[in-house]
Amino acid sequence: MPQVSSKTLQEIANAIDGEIQLGENSKQDLLIDSLAVSPDDSTFEDLVLAFDHKYVKSITNIKAKAIVLPYSIKDKVPSLKPSIIWVKRPRIVIKK
């Protein structure tokens, strides 16, 4: 997975105008230092961007430390172990 400059979950949420939903045993100062290119290839150490609606059905299978998801699917997502950063404008996140 691509290594990125380490940031906390809160720093990432602030940078992308996201709202954090803490996962099981997570804190806002959770350190993120790798980014998964695809939710299918994510590991328990990654932050993953899952903007495609096809991942909603298999979201519980994503192995990641944290997931960035579009706010538009919030009511369709079950409770998850990883922390989630909800964003209203996913396309802008990719540019940031």
Side-chain angles (χ1 to χ4, degrees), residues 7-78:
K7 301 283 183 200
T8 66
L9 193 63
Q10 185 64 58
E11 289 173 320
I12 294 168
N14 290 345
I16 62 175
D17 298 320
E19 175 187 322
I20 296 174
Q21 177 182 323
L22 291 177
E24 206 173 275
N25 301 320
S26 291
K27 300 179 204 168
Q28 291 182 347
D29 63 351
L30 179 72
L31 200 58
I32 304 290
D33 57 10
S34 63
L35 177 67
V37 177
S38 163
D40 294 329
D41 298 330
S42 64
T43 71
F44 294 109
E45 297 300 315
D46 298 325
L47 170 70
V48 66
L49 308 177
F51 299 147
D52 193 323
H53 289 259
K54 72 180 182 179
Y55 293 112
V56 173
K57 291 180 184 174
S58 61
I59 198 127
T60 56
N61 298 331
I62 293 176
K63 299 174 185 91
K65 191 183 287 188
I67 307 171
V68 180
L69 293 170
Y71 197 82
S72 62
I73 65 167
K74 190 171 185 175
D75 61 338
K76 298 174 186 152
V77 175

